[in-house]
Amino acid sequence: MALIGVFDSGVGGLSILDEALRQLPEHDYIYLADSLNAPYGEKSSEWIALRSMELCQYLAAQGCQAIMIACNTATAQAIAHIRAELNSIPIIGVEPGIKPAAMQSHNGVVGVLATEATLKSDKFNALLATLPSDCHFIKQSGEGLVPLIEAGKANSEETLELLAKHLITMQDAGADTIVLGCTHYPFLKKAIRKLLGDSINLIDTSDAVVRQLKRKLETPQGKLTNDKAGTVKFISSKDAETLHNMAQELMQSDLSAHHTELELVSTFK
Ligand code: DGL
């Protein structure tokens, strides 16, 4: 069995952990939330790169055999350096699913909701440049949404109001597909459907990201298997108990099937 580290600026990466527990429940996980510093999306590239490296080094020192950067913002700003530094373990990142969106859109109008730091990153813009020019992408920063999700208000009136403002340009342009380009945003699916209706196609890459992890964990000898559910340790730079409560609320996975531990890490403050 492998010990897998999953990190995000806060609770967003729980959408990835949820999918990992569904596809790979037998592994042990450490979920590290840097909630003290969320949101990352409005911070400088240098700060995000430095902090993300620090957190991945911490996970590697805990013995993680693979790390998932469950944050589009950190992936965009830091994955190349992290891979170069921690080159003996697989580092899996997340990117806005603009490629599947372009393939799935019927009218070629796609909205991309992501953080400011992701949208302005070289990595995102390089990916965008590889896609056919007949697909029109409407990019929108989701400013203010992450703090509301962190505060447990994903389905509140306040969130609906802010979301409506962020979605208006893509809605007016007739987008039939929206890329959820931040791991916090899958927790807004219900709110988005409430505003735009059930026919809107929402692109969430957590399934693909976990399939990538699965491939990386397969050894030449075959798959690592175990019939028992593994453990999940929740670590937060702010409040591990709140993180655990939010995980129970936001995730579909039955956490009671896993042995869970909580830890507050103050060394990063
Ligand atoms: N969940 C993160 C992402 O995927 C970070 C959001 C933030 O902290 O701004 O981009």
Side-chain angles (χ1 to χ4, degrees):
M1 279 323 88
L3 175 62
I4 298 153
V6 182
F7 110 84
D8 181 45
S9 62
V11 297
L14 292 172
S15 58
I16 305 278
L17 177 67
D18 208 5
E19 186 58 31
L21 292 180
R22 203 181 64 77
Q23 291 188 39
L24 300 164
E26 66 277 22
H27 294 297
D28 297 322
Y29 293 88
I30 295 180
Y31 184 85
L32 174 54
D34 192 15
S35 294
L36 190 70
N37 292 299
Y40 277 13
E42 288 131 48
K43 292 195 158 62
S44 73
S45 309
E46 294 73 24
W47 188 94
I48 299 165
L50 216 74
R51 181 72 174 173
S52 303
M53 175 72 85
E54 205 174 33
L55 297 177
C56 286
Q57 279 168 335
Y58 171 82
L59 288 171
Q62 301 301 301
C64 290
Q65 290 141 281
I67 293 176
M68 299 183 88
I69 305 180
C71 175
N72 291 263
T73 310
T75 301
Q77 302 291 350
I79 199 165
H81 301 293
I82 294 169
R83 281 191 174 137
E85 177 82 14
L86 303 172
N87 55 14
S88 60
I89 57 172
I91 309 286
I92 294 118
V94 281
E95 280 187 311
I98 52 177
K99 213 169 168 176
M103 275 154 53
Q104 289 175 30
S105 171
H106 293 297
N107 64 2
V109 185
V110 170
V112 185
L113 191 63
T115 68
E116 187 62 34
T118 298
L119 294 175
K120 67 173 197 225
S121 69
D122 292 344
K123 193 162 168 55
F124 173 76
N125 286 295
L127 180 66
L128 200 58
T130 64
L131 297 182
S133 55
D134 57 353
C135 186
H136 179 46
F137 290 98
I138 298 149
K139 295 176 275 173
Q140 175 67 49
S141 144
E143 199 176 335
L145 292 172
V146 167
L148 287 168
I149 299 165
E150 287 290 315
K153 295 184 183 166
N155 292 305
S156 68
E157 274 307 310
E158 202 182 340
T159 303
L160 272 179
E161 261 172 47
L162 181 62
L163 197 51
K165 282 188 200 145
H166 287 328
L167 296 178
I168 202 138
T169 318
M170 45 186 100
Q171 189 177 12
D172 286 353
D176 68 350
T177 301
I178 295 179
V179 176
L180 304 174
C182 166
T183 53
H184 281 74
Y185 301 163
F187 299 123
L188 296 176
K189 277 183 187 168
K190 222 160 106 187
I192 298 175
R193 294 201 185 282
K194 203 162 171 182
L195 291 165
L196 302 183
D198 285 336
S199 61
I200 192 82
N201 183 22
L202 300 178
I203 306 285
D204 166 2
T205 53
S206 40
D207 170 50
V209 170
V210 175
R211 275 188 280 116
Q212 171 71 354
L213 169 70
K214 203 170 181 172
R215 278 191 292 274
K216 294 279 179 192
L217 293 175
E218 281 167 9
T219 65
Q221 289 77 38
K223 293 176 188 166
L224 298 161
T225 48
N226 182 5
D227 45 13
K228 274 202 346 249
T231 62
V232 185
K233 186 171 185 173
F234 290 98
I235 304 183
S236 172
S237 57
K238 191 177 180 187
D239 178 357
E241 206 170 313
T242 302
L243 171 64
H244 184 232
N245 291 341
M246 287 196 73
Q248 284 171 312
E249 199 180 301
L250 293 170
M251 292 165 68
Q252 310 280 318
S253 304
D254 177 14
L255 286 172
S256 65
H258 300 264
H259 172 72
T260 54
E261 275 178 49
L262 308 180
E263 194 176 307
L264 176 66
V265 173
S266 49
T267 47
F268 297 125
K269 284 182 186 173

